């Protein structure tokens, strides 16, 4: 039995897509289990490049089963666009499977996300993620994939739309929804995806019984988890290992490997506390060199040093078995590197990650490291003989020792090949 899960260890965009594309080779099913099209997972092999939002990050392997699990909220427009783009580029999606229990993002969710974020200031992706998970929890105003095939869809849309117009007007905004247009679009979407829609919990558990290998693809990152992240500056779903179970129907005891992905530094998009943020020229240098601009929204990502307090916390919450460290190339050529090993809060030193307001007050306590200077040729050499310069080894050993987690892979560029298996 091999069921592994990929988890973002920071605030998202750790390079999960790239690593999933590499690991997918050894798995039969790749399963998205949380979030929605707020995710942007980049995969790149030569001039083939995709930023995927809903379809699992294994489109370069036509034979693999690509499952969108029950924990995902699906925006029909995004999914149809993505299916078209992938197919037009020549990649088969014959093995796409969509959970009948996944929820659907509708026009009012996006509109409400915009309105609420104007007031809340979380800096969401404006994809309607929060409002659609809110409806999921509310139950009466949610529509799932299976509901798209019900005869009462027209009435459901009319009654939900009426309610949403009132809610939007309570925010002081006027809106209209064209129920017929929404209905027709949903029906045409439902027709197009009908062959792919299944009870994915049975599908995946039967696959496990048949000794198939499953890779669970997490979206976002641990610090954006609605329970364990930097609330309220989080996303609206769980992003940690537990969500891999609830979002797929695979029981916890059947997940035998948790692979955490972390950058060699830290980034964050949107608002919220970020103790190791670099707001100076160095932060800008990292942003430019690392191409730190959002895959989904294009927003510049905030950049800072690696935060070990946060990383150790993530390893604890997720039960991380292995770490993959990405973007080591971006730190090349810096004389000095820093890792945050503790916070000072109200004059007291702590190694605990506070998920409450206090994080805003956290001042990072740093340990310094000597930088490395490795060019492309140097990285290729490391890949070949697995021998690292002393400075790089010290940096990685420190992370591994402190998190009590082995590092199974390092990444030094966006390409599939730019990876060292350790
Ligand atoms: P995800 O959401 O975790 O899948 O990450 P994103 O795709 O949103 O962002 C990661 C970005 O970094 C993408 O543009 C990747 O192509 C790129 N990337 C991944 N690994 C590396 C690496 O080791 N070095 C560099 N320079 N870029 C990388
Ligand atoms: P991947 O899967 C980075 C952030 C948003 C915002 C907060 C809430 O590519 O790592 P939401 O639209 O989810 O309600 O926004 O969460 N966010 C992400 N940041 N990577 C992501 O996904 C993200 N998905 C959401 O920027 O701060
Ligand atoms: Mg991303």
């Amino acid at each position: 039995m091999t069921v592994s899960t990929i988890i973002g260890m920071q605030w998202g965009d750790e390079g999960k897509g790239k690593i999933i594309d590499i690991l997918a080779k050894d798995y039969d099913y790749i399963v998205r289990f949380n979030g929605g099209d707020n995710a942007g997972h980049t995969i790149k092999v030569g001039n083939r490049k995709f930023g995927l939002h809903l379809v699992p990050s294994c489109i370069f392997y036509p034979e693999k089963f690509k499952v969108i699990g029950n924990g995902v909220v699906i925006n029909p427009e995004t999914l149809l666009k993505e299916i078209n783009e992938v197919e037009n580029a020549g990649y088969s999606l014959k093995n796409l499977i969509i959970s009948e229990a996944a929820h659907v993002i509708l026009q009012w969710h996006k509109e409400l996300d915009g309105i609420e974020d104007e007031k809340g200031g979380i800096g969401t992706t404006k994809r309607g993620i929060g409002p659609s998970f809110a409806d999921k929890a509310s139950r009466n105003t949610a529509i799932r994939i299976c509901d798209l095939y019900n005869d009462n869809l027209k009435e459901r849309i009319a009654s939900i739309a009426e309610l949403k117009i009132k809610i939007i007007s309570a925010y002081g905004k006027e809106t209209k929804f064209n129920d017929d247009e929404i209905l027709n679009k949903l029906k045409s979407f439902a027709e197009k995806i009908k062959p792919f829609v299944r009870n994915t919990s049975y599908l995946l558990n039967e696959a496990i019984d048949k000794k198939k290998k499953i890779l669970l693809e997490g979206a976002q990152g641990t610090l954006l988890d609605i329970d364990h992240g930097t609330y309220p500056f989080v996303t609206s779903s769980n992003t940690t290992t537990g969500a891999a179970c609830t979002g797929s129907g695979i029981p916890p005891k059947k997940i035998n490997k948790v692979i955490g992905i972390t950058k060699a530094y830290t980034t964050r998009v949107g608002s919220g506390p970020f103790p190791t943020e670099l707001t100076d020229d160095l932060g800008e240098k990292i942003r430019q060199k690392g191409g730190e601009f959002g895959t989904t929204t294009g927003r510049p990502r905030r950049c800072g040093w690696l935060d070990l307090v946060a990383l150790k916390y993530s390893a604890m919450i997720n039960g991380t078995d292995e770490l993959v460290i990405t973007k080591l190339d971006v730190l090349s050529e810096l004389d000095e590197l820093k890792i945050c090993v503790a916070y000072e809060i109200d004059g007291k030193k702590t190694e605990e990650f506070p998920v409450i307001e206090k994080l805003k007050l956290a001042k990072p306590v740093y340990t310094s490291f000597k930088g490395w200077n490795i060019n492309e040729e140097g990285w290729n050499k490391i890949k070949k003989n697995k021998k690292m310069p002393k400075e790089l080894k010290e940096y990685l050993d420190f992370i591994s020792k402190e998190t009590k987690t082995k590092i199974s892979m390092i990444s030094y560029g966006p390409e599939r090949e730019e990876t060292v298996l350790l």
Side-chain angles (χ1 to χ4, degrees):
M1 176 173 89
T2 303
V3 183
S4 306
T5 182
I6 295 286
I7 298 285
M9 298 293 276
Q10 301 169 306
W11 277 290
D13 302 328
E14 296 89 351
K16 299 176 292 293
K18 164 175 168 162
I19 304 306
I20 290 157
D21 168 68
I22 292 170
L23 296 178
K25 178 169 72 65
D26 298 323
Y27 290 83
D28 305 296
Y29 291 72
I30 322 301
V31 187
R32 263 291 299 273
F33 61 79
N34 71 322
D37 61 344
N38 47 350
H41 296 178
T42 314
I43 53 176
K44 189 172 186 307
V45 184
N47 54 14
R48 302 183 288 162
K49 184 179 169 186
F50 268 92
L52 294 160
H53 303 290
L54 287 166
V55 174
S57 305
C58 58
I59 57 162
F60 296 151
Y61 309 87
E63 75 285 7
K64 307 287 178 190
F65 289 95
K66 302 161 184 79
V67 181
I68 301 180
N70 59 278
V72 177
V73 285
I74 298 175
N75 181 327
E77 277 173 35
T78 310
L79 184 57
L80 285 180
K81 187 164 170 262
E82 199 154 285
I83 291 174
N84 279 339
E85 279 170 8
V86 171
E87 286 183 338
N88 288 342
Y91 302 103
S92 165
L93 284 177
K94 66 179 190 318
N95 285 342
L96 181 68
I97 299 165
I98 301 167
S99 167
E100 58 193 5
H103 281 247
V104 181
I105 296 185
L106 295 152
Q107 213 177 314
W108 39 82
H109 293 133
K110 283 186 74 167
E111 224 166 294
L112 277 164
D113 196 2
I115 295 169
E116 286 169 357
D117 202 45
E118 238 172 64
K119 295 189 191 295
I122 289 166
T124 72
T125 59
K126 313 272 192 295
R127 295 293 190 270
I129 304 295
S132 74
F133 276 111
D135 274 348
K136 176 177 178 173
S138 296
R139 294 153 296 168
N140 294 322
T141 43
I143 291 184
R144 299 195 291 172
I145 294 290
C146 54
D147 300 328
L148 301 179
Y149 304 97
N150 268 352
D151 292 339
N152 68 355
L153 185 62
K154 187 177 164 119
E155 290 74 39
R156 296 260 295 134
I157 286 173
S159 76
I160 300 171
E162 201 185 328
L163 187 66
K164 296 295 177 185
I165 288 170
K166 287 185 191 149
I167 295 172
I168 290 169
S169 105
Y171 279 114
K173 309 262 177 189
E174 227 179 275
T175 195
K176 266 195 214 144
F177 296 114
N178 184 333
D179 297 358
D180 286 337
E181 194 184 308
I182 294 174
L183 180 71
N184 291 338
K185 276 193 178 165
L186 282 179
K187 279 194 162 162
S188 126
F189 169 67
E191 217 29 58
K192 167 103 192 174
I193 63 164
K194 205 171 182 179
F196 308 130
V197 176
R198 294 277 297 273
N199 180 322
T200 49
S201 303
Y202 275 103
L203 174 96
L204 294 170
N205 281 285
E206 281 162 18
I208 293 172
D209 290 344
K210 287 184 201 145
K211 310 267 183 288
K212 299 291 181 198
K213 294 182 173 176
I214 297 179
L215 183 63
L216 295 155
E217 172 170 351
Q220 289 83 51
T222 301
L223 307 178
L224 289 172
D225 183 284
I226 186 149
D227 284 283
H228 304 290
T230 50
Y231 193 91
F233 301 99
V234 293
T235 190
S236 300
S237 69
N238 288 106
T239 59
T240 41
T241 307
C245 300
T246 51
S248 70
I250 296 176
K253 284 183 182 168
K254 294 205 169 151
I255 295 183
N256 38 29
K257 202 194 276 181
V258 179
I259 305 165
I261 319 294
T262 176
K263 282 179 188 170
Y265 49 94
T266 309
T267 65
R268 165 162 217 177
V269 207
S271 320
F274 179 177
T276 63
E277 181 170 14
L278 291 163
T279 49
D280 55 4
D281 289 352
L282 183 55
E284 184 58 33
K285 194 171 162 183
I286 292 175
R287 176 159 42 249
Q288 294 304 333
K289 192 164 176 197
E292 297 296 358
F293 297 89
T295 309
T296 298
T297 58
R299 289 178 292 175
R301 295 177 184 147
R302 300 155 66 192
C303 298
W305 293 120
L306 184 70
D307 184 341
L308 207 60
V309 179
L311 193 60
K312 281 157 82 170
Y313 169 75
S314 292
M316 173 183 82
I317 296 288
N318 293 301
T320 312
D321 296 300
E322 291 177 11
L323 275 177
V324 175
I325 318 260
T326 62
K327 299 219 149 185
L328 283 160
D329 54 309
V330 179
L331 297 186
S332 274
E333 292 171 43
L334 295 178
D335 293 333
E336 186 197 23
L337 305 175
K338 289 183 184 174
I339 292 182
C340 167
V341 292
Y343 298 144
E344 207 185 278
I345 301 175
D346 290 334
K348 280 197 199 120
K349 205 170 150 185
T350 177
E351 288 184 28
E352 269 187 29
F353 185 78
V355 284
I356 52 171
E357 286 276 284
K358 285 215 151 144
L359 186 63
K360 270 202 296 210
L361 309 174
K363 292 196 189 82
V365 178
Y366 287 115
T367 293
S368 287
F369 292 80
K370 248 188 111 184
W372 52 83
N373 194 346
I374 308 173
N375 58 17
E376 208 182 319
E377 200 188 330
W379 286 113
N380 292 338
K381 255 194 194 158
I382 295 172
K383 181 172 172 151
K384 241 194 199 153
N385 55 27
K386 310 262 151 85
K387 267 210 192 120
M388 292 184 214
K390 186 168 105 261
E391 294 80 9
L392 176 63
K393 191 168 179 327
E394 266 173 23
Y395 193 80
L396 295 176
D397 284 349
F398 186 75
I399 297 171
S400 178
K401 189 175 114 246
E402 288 292 316
T403 55
K404 300 190 180 74
T405 312
K406 76 168 180 191
I407 297 171
S408 57
M409 209 191 281
I410 57 171
S411 165
Y412 58 92
E415 289 286 336
R416 192 191 269 174
E417 295 304 318
E418 289 170 320
T419 314
V420 186
L421 281 175
L422 299 173

